[in-house]
Amino acid sequence: MKNRILVLAGVAVLVIAATVFAVAQGPGFPHGGGGGGGDMVEHMSRALNLTDAQKTQVKAIMDAERAATEPGRSRMEDVHKQLQATTLNGQFDEAQVRGLAAQASQIMTDQMVEHVRAFTKIFALLTPEQRVKAQEMHKAMGPGGHGPGGPMGHRPPGQ
């Protein structure tokens, strides 16, 4: 059980780390899961000096990733509602909570795969100079961005 919790926490951390790097977090950047794909592309474009062709490709990758993860976001919302309903009256049904936690774990795993897939595709589009800049930005992220390498040492490909 302890290992399952650690794996679930690790998955969540990796999803966050990959997502934060992929969007090259910065001031004025819209955080959260809704829309904003164009803002992300624009932010990355400014930060990494993307060409128009790269912007088009990055937008397509991000749109595909968003479409692939939308069902998971909806399922995760349902799991959270079920969990809330399960514990609403102060009752605790461990079997039911474990079942919902297992569903959430699978959803998070699937989403992590999609996030990292998109991250890797975007990183592959960058020139060597842009990759260096992206890696520098990743290393420079403060505690809100999980610091150098993220909490589990996640690094961009090739680093």
Side-chain angles (χ1 to χ4, degrees):
M1 174 61 189
K2 193 173 191 176
N3 285 342
R4 180 179 257 177
I5 291 171
L6 290 174
V7 169
L8 179 61
V11 167
V13 165
L14 287 174
V15 168
I16 292 166
T19 302
V20 167
F21 177 77
V23 299
Q25 175 183 356
F29 179 74
H31 297 283
D39 293 337
M40 286 187 231
V41 173
E42 193 54 42
H43 177 74
M44 289 177 66
S45 177
R46 283 192 310 270
L48 299 175
N49 195 27
L50 299 179
T51 65
D52 288 341
Q54 285 175 313
K55 282 195 268 188
T56 300
Q57 291 173 308
V58 167
K59 183 172 180 351
I61 291 167
M62 292 173 81
D63 288 347
E65 187 266 344
R66 188 171 9 278
T69 58
E70 178 55 39
R73 285 191 297 275
S74 297
R75 287 191 345 246
M76 186 65 85
E77 189 175 314
D78 291 343
V79 168
H80 283 280
K81 287 177 183 176
Q82 290 174 36
L83 185 59
Q84 191 174 25
T86 298
T87 59
L88 192 60
N89 294 327
Q91 296 183 23
F92 179 73
D93 180 343
E94 185 169 340
Q96 192 169 15
V97 171
R98 285 182 183 275
L100 292 169
Q103 289 177 43
S105 175
Q106 184 59 54
I107 294 165
M108 290 174 68
T109 299
D110 294 343
Q111 289 188 327
M112 182 182 87
V113 169
E114 290 301 325
H115 285 301
V116 173
R117 178 179 289 130
F119 160 76
T120 304
K121 287 178 180 179
I122 290 169
F123 197 81
L125 295 174
L126 302 178
T127 66
E129 295 80 17
Q130 290 168 327
R131 288 179 184 185
V132 168
K133 174 70 174 171
Q135 289 169 338
E136 288 170 0
M137 290 169 61
H138 184 64
K139 286 179 187 177
M141 278 192 263
H146 303 294
M152 298 198 51
H154 174 73
R155 298 266 188 233
Q159 191 176 26

